[in-house]
Amino acid sequence: MEAGALKNRNLYHISFENDMYTMVVSLKESFLRDAESYSFLMVNRLTDEERTMEIREVRPSGEFHLLYVDMSTIEYMLKSIEGEVWNVYILRQVDSIPMRTRIRTRDLKLTRHAAVFSGNQKMLYPAATKKGNLSYYVTAYKLFASIEEIELLKQGQFRFAGHFHFPPLCVDNAYIIKQVRILIKNSLNDEIISLPISFNEGKDSETTDSGKMVKEFGFSGTFDVLPYLELPNQKFFKFYLELEYEQNGFVESIQSSRIKATINKPYKNKLILKPNSEKIQLRIKTTKDSKFLSLSVGKYNFKKEVSTTLKSKWVKFRRSNVLQKVYKKMFKLLGHRPANKKLVMFESFLGKQYSDSPRAIYEYMAEHHSDYRLIWSVDRAYSKMFEEKGIPYVRRFSVQWLFLMTGAKYWVNNSRFPLWIPKPKHTTYLQTWHGTPLKRLAADMEEVHMPGTNTAKYKENFLKEASNWDYLVSPNAYSSEIFARAFQFNRKMIESGYPRNDYLHQANNEKTIQALKNKFNLPEDKKIILYAPTWRDNQFYAKGKYKFDLEMDLNQMRDELGDSYIVIMRMHYLVAENMDLSPYEGFAYDFSHLEDIRELYLISDILMTDYSSVFFDYANLRRPMIFFVYDIEDYRDNLRGFYFNFEEKAPGLLTKTTDGIIAEVKRLEAAGFELDESFEEFYNKFCYLESGESTKRVVDEVFQD
């Protein structure tokens, strides 16, 4: 593996010799500063068994430390069950609390470091997971191949070159490679094309004293695509490598998994041919995460191609700093026009939802103030929802949006607008925010763990945006005090309760709840547990791309609760990815992309969350809650910190395990779902303003024209 740029918790280099893997891991000095001790672990993903790794050497490198970590338990690992995975962690002790964190990598060539154990025909190799973490895989003997050079020739040929790694099972006996072929599978008709290719034996990639060996071979070939163009529909060719070898007098063959493309230099990925009367386009593609190679063949449509190209260029331009600068100048210029005093622009969660307090204010004004023009600012990827509901909207960052935003008298938002947008002097900005604060906010945060920023930059940008707010909605006196300090807000605070929670008081009836269950096609004979966790600042793939790891055991929950309960899941909007819940069909349901969580509150009998502000809202229904806080020490002490003693004051049981969740559900059921006496104290502190009139209070305060 080639050494790369230093990043925190990242695999910098790996080598394998003398039966030992040595990993060089880069860690920021600040990451280790508060650790009383630290070590590296291999953890079996199936059994949770742990194996400690030895830190042989630590070398300083600027603000980083390079740690040389040895794993000398290869033969032990190879005795694992086929298919087992060992994840790599760093374990830190901070304030006597153990904190386990994954080591990351994006290298797709790690499989060349495979260790083969001939006794049981298994191999152990490091690889990058789809989420970019480092793991070691135990599998049956495999052949790995990758293509590293690609060329499309005008004659309709696809030329390629790459490497494969062949670790023979019986190294004490001579073997002869008889033939190497590329198998090309046609996606339309399952036809397999067998293409002989040339190869040359290279050096041993890794050699060990006990005879484990990985041979590296180069290969090259040319695929003539012309004979395979005569199909009416677009098709994809996928590539595999097959090797035939002779050993101990027997001829064996082995096939690789699908070939990946690990190409570092630019290459031409499209070619247009005209073998007959119509044009055909060849295009090289790779899958997003795994980088599996495919060659697509289809009819060439000039209009479609031009449209796609222009659209792609426009998207790049729209996201560029150039367009931002143009828009910023246009904002300033157009902002000098007289304001339309009856125009209100709404936005919720970056234009991705029709939800929250902006929705409540919009619906109230549509009913009681029909003389206002009410328009939503919407991310183009989410516009279909607004079209289906017949809600007037404009695409965010379009030219029309530019004119409407600069001409509006009012902006209503629950999140932040991009920092480059200057607010016209005539515009009144109503910021509703989106939750009662448990976690530290903005200026109160000691350290920020988000991609694309640092603590000082994050605070500076946040407070600059907050300086544009003319009104800020607060749900209670507790929040008002925090908002004023954390946002450095010194304008008009509207202490009204959250408009979004009016719905929970107005629609909390059997008829509405039954209608919602029918709408979502949920079983009527089972109680509902709503799981709505927060996002973790430090869990992300890249800037703007967040992730979430489900830590509870849904199999166990289904086995013990499935006769009487179902679980519906609503993930935070920053991590609302498509989850695969197909193994739990009939028990677990994904509602992450529902535009508003308020309907899920109404139909649920129990809320399960962690540190999300949803529990402050759910308390309005006076129903029980469970707090699944498997990482509470790390979250409390390292990520965000809490404003009050959450562990003592939370309105429900805190648990770190699936066993704890199940036991509490059974206890609540046996107690008739009655709330503890401490709940009233919580309700009176945080929900005392919310009775169904909060929206009216806000509208009466702000919209006085």
Side-chain angles (χ1 to χ4, degrees):
M1 173 183 171
E2 294 297 327
L6 296 180
K7 296 180 181 178
N8 191 38
R9 295 188 293 112
N10 212 61
L11 180 66
Y12 177 70
H13 184 72
I14 191 168
S15 61
F16 174 43
E17 48 187 275
N18 299 327
D19 267 354
M20 182 181 297
Y21 282 104
T22 297
M23 291 164 281
V24 183
V25 178
S26 54
L27 297 175
K28 268 193 173 182
E29 190 277 333
S30 58
F31 180 76
L32 297 174
R33 187 180 300 142
D34 297 328
E36 297 150 11
S37 62
Y38 56 89
S39 58
F40 283 81
L41 297 176
M42 301 281 292
V43 180
N44 190 302
R45 192 182 293 178
L46 180 66
T47 65
D48 288 330
E49 179 185 356
E50 297 181 358
R51 306 287 294 186
T52 303
M53 305 163 73
E54 180 186 353
I55 301 175
R56 173 162 50 88
E57 184 180 356
V58 179
R59 294 182 186 176
S61 180
E63 61 176 329
F64 288 87
H65 290 301
L66 295 178
L67 285 79
Y68 289 70
V69 184
D70 292 337
M71 184 182 79
S72 57
T73 55
I74 292 174
E75 292 204 14
Y76 176 83
M77 300 290 184
L78 285 166
K79 294 177 183 177
S80 303
I81 300 172
E82 181 182 331
E84 284 190 359
V85 180
W86 293 79
N87 297 330
V88 182
Y89 291 86
I90 180 171
L91 176 66
R92 295 177 298 151
Q93 295 283 339
V94 180
D95 294 332
S96 301
I97 299 171
M99 291 187 293
R100 213 167 64 175
T101 315
R102 291 295 299 270
I103 299 302
R104 299 178 294 208
T105 183
R106 286 291 184 185
D107 189 0
L108 296 174
K109 300 180 182 179
L110 287 175
T111 49
R112 69 179 58 188
H113 299 277
V116 178
F117 188 61
S118 59
N120 57 8
Q121 298 191 356
K122 290 181 184 174
M123 61 193 302
L124 174 73
Y125 59 90
T129 68
K130 287 186 177 180
K131 294 182 178 181
N133 293 320
L134 175 64
S135 295
Y136 281 81
Y137 292 77
V138 179
T139 68
Y141 175 76
K142 276 188 177 183
L143 178 66
F144 294 106
S146 65
I147 286 178
E148 292 148 9
E149 296 180 23
I150 285 175
E151 185 179 7
L152 285 173
L153 304 180
K154 292 181 179 180
Q155 296 80 8
Q157 295 174 320
F158 172 48
R159 183 180 292 169
F160 54 85
H163 287 84
F164 66 87
H165 308 285
F166 178 51
L169 291 175
C170 303
V171 296
D172 295 331
N173 298 307
Y175 67 91
I176 301 173
I177 295 181
K178 307 285 288 184
Q179 190 174 35
V180 179
R181 295 179 289 268
I182 290 290
L183 302 182
I184 306 170
K185 298 185 179 181
N186 185 331
S187 63
L188 277 184
N189 56 15
D190 294 327
E191 173 190 10
I192 298 179
I193 303 163
S194 180
L195 179 70
I197 58 174
S198 60
F199 70 95
N200 61 284
E201 183 172 346
K203 61 183 179 63
D204 296 344
S205 290
E206 308 288 349
T207 306
T208 73
D209 291 342
S210 63
K212 301 179 183 68
M213 186 181 300
V214 178
K215 284 280 189 182
E216 183 174 289
F217 297 82
F219 68 85
S220 60
T222 301
F223 173 38
D224 188 355
V225 188
L226 287 177
Y228 305 97
L229 299 180
E230 300 301 324
L231 281 174
N233 301 316
Q234 185 178 30
K235 55 186 174 181
F236 293 88
F237 292 109
K238 301 176 183 179
F239 298 84
Y240 303 80
L241 188 140
E242 185 179 62
L243 185 149
E244 188 178 283
Y245 65 98
E246 182 180 338
Q247 192 164 14
N248 297 327
F250 295 96
V251 176
E252 305 283 351
S253 65
I254 185 171
Q255 182 179 313
S256 75
S257 53
R258 188 174 169 188
I259 293 179
K260 297 182 178 183
T262 55
I263 305 166
N264 295 322
K265 60 182 181 181
Y267 61 93
K268 182 179 181 180
N269 70 334
K270 286 186 282 187
L271 177 66
I272 299 172
L273 303 173
K274 193 176 180 181
N276 298 309
S277 59
E278 58 182 353
K279 292 182 178 179
I280 302 294
Q281 179 172 260
L282 310 184
R283 178 175 294 185
I284 298 168
K285 294 185 174 182
T286 59
T287 57
K288 184 176 180 181
D289 293 318
S290 299
K291 302 301 179 185
F292 291 128
L293 175 70
S294 65
L295 177 67
S296 74
V297 179
K299 294 179 181 179
Y300 177 74
N301 185 314
F302 176 75
K303 291 183 179 179
K304 183 178 179 181
E305 189 68 18
V306 170
S307 174
T308 301
T309 302
L310 290 176
K311 184 177 179 180
S312 175
K313 290 183 177 179
W314 168 244
V315 169
K316 289 181 180 178
F317 177 69
R318 196 178 69 235
R319 295 174 179 173
S320 69
N321 292 331
V322 176
L323 187 63
Q324 287 184 11
K325 291 177 181 178
V326 172
Y327 265 45
K328 187 173 183 178
K329 290 181 180 179
M330 291 298 292
F331 251 92
K332 291 180 178 179
L333 179 64
L334 295 173
H336 291 296
R337 296 176 300 154
N340 182 342
K341 294 184 178 181
K342 294 296 182 179
L343 176 58
V344 188
M345 297 297 296
F346 293 85
E347 187 173 292
S348 178
F349 294 120
L350 310 180
K352 297 179 180 180
Q353 292 186 13
Y354 174 59
S355 67
D356 208 69
S357 292
R359 175 180 181 174
I361 294 170
Y362 167 82
E363 291 176 345
Y364 180 88
M365 292 188 69
E367 181 178 355
H368 297 94
H369 296 273
S370 58
D371 56 326
Y372 280 82
R373 186 184 180 195
L374 313 175
I375 299 179
W376 282 78
S377 165
V378 177
D379 185 305
R380 63 185 60 234
Y382 298 84
S383 60
K384 185 178 179 181
M385 171 203 322
F386 289 81
E387 291 176 2
E388 292 174 346
K389 292 180 178 292
I391 299 167
Y393 76 94
V394 62
R395 285 186 175 181
R396 207 170 185 242
F397 306 141
S398 66
V399 174
Q400 185 185 9
W401 173 87
L402 174 65
F403 278 86
L404 289 170
M405 287 290 289
T406 55
K409 170 64 176 175
Y410 300 98
W411 292 351
V412 180
N413 196 358
N414 70 344
S415 187
R416 291 185 287 157
F417 285 117
L419 194 62
W420 56 265
I421 296 178
K423 182 172 76 77
K425 291 182 179 180
H426 61 238
T427 298
T428 298
Y429 187 169
L430 169 59
Q431 172 60 246
T432 68
W433 200 237
H434 50 263
T436 300
L438 166 66
K439 300 160 287 189
R440 295 194 181 276
L441 298 171
D444 287 348
M445 295 173 68
E446 294 182 1
E447 190 172 357
V448 172
H449 301 268
M450 301 180 193
T453 190
N454 55 47
T455 303
K457 182 180 177 183
Y458 175 82
K459 291 182 179 182
E460 178 186 354
N461 291 345
F462 198 117
L463 297 178
K464 186 175 180 180
E465 155 72 6
S467 68
N468 287 327
W469 304 345
D470 298 292
Y471 293 92
L472 175 60
V473 175
S474 169
N476 44 55
Y478 157 86
S479 299
S480 297
E481 185 270 329
I482 292 172
F483 287 167
R485 181 185 65 251
F487 299 148
Q488 296 183 10
F489 183 75
N490 56 12
R491 297 185 187 178
K492 179 64 176 181
M493 187 86 68
I494 306 175
E495 198 170 286
S496 58
Y498 272 137
R500 68 187 185 189
N501 289 333
D502 288 351
Y503 178 82
L504 301 182
H505 292 272
Q506 297 164 357
N508 188 15
N509 56 74
E510 190 60 37
K511 181 179 179 181
T512 302
I513 293 171
Q514 187 62 44
L516 288 172
K517 288 184 178 180
N518 293 337
K519 170 185 171 182
F520 298 136
N521 197 27
L522 295 174
E524 299 179 13
D525 60 339
K526 294 185 178 182
K527 294 191 178 299
I528 297 175
I529 301 170
L530 167 61
Y531 180 45
T534 191
W535 67 301
R536 272 76 174 157
D537 297 17
N538 66 340
Q539 291 193 348
F540 53 86
Y541 303 120
K543 184 177 180 180
K545 296 183 179 181
Y546 296 86
K547 62 185 178 180
F548 183 83
D549 297 321
L550 189 66
E551 298 288 340
M552 69 180 65
D553 188 338
L554 285 178
N555 282 314
Q556 183 183 354
M557 290 182 65
R558 179 180 56 189
D559 291 344
E560 299 199 38
L561 299 175
D563 291 340
S564 303
Y565 293 86
I566 61 172
V567 176
I568 58 178
M569 298 190 175
R570 176 54 146 71
M571 315 312 273
H572 191 278
Y573 77 98
L574 285 174
V575 293
E577 301 171 342
N578 291 320
M579 294 187 299
D580 182 16
L581 295 179
S582 55
Y584 316 103
E585 185 175 356
F587 176 68
Y589 301 78
D590 182 16
F591 284 93
S592 295
H593 296 285
L594 186 69
E595 69 268 18
D596 199 330
I597 195 174
R598 66 184 194 174
E599 295 175 336
L600 303 184
Y601 289 152
L602 278 186
I603 64 175
S604 61
D605 299 281
I606 301 172
L607 171 69
M608 181 163 60
T609 185
D610 44 20
Y611 326 107
S612 171
S613 64
V614 297
F615 71 89
F616 293 101
D617 303 323
Y618 193 79
N620 282 276
L621 295 172
R622 295 180 176 273
R623 298 177 191 172
M625 294 177 255
I626 300 172
F627 295 85
F628 181 46
V629 289
Y630 57 89
D631 59 350
I632 187 168
E633 292 87 1
D634 189 28
Y635 201 94
R636 177 195 63 209
D637 299 336
N638 296 289
L639 289 186
R640 292 290 284 270
F642 300 141
Y643 280 118
F644 65 87
N645 193 330
F646 174 64
E647 289 151 287
E648 291 185 6
K649 299 296 184 179
L653 175 76
L654 274 63
T655 181
K656 296 182 178 181
T657 65
T658 303
D659 288 334
I661 294 169
I662 294 169
E664 179 63 3
V665 170
K666 292 179 177 179
R667 186 197 71 79
L668 288 170
E669 184 175 24
F673 297 96
E674 290 187 5
L675 300 171
D676 296 335
E677 293 181 4
S678 60
F679 178 84
E680 288 303 318
E681 179 184 352
F682 179 89
Y683 185 94
N684 292 333
K685 181 173 183 178
F686 298 108
C687 304
Y688 65 94
L689 287 173
E690 297 178 332
S691 60
E693 297 293 322
S694 297
T695 306
K696 184 179 186 304
R697 295 186 192 118
V698 173
V699 171
D700 288 349
E701 177 71 35
V702 178
F703 300 91
Q704 301 172 352
D705 295 311

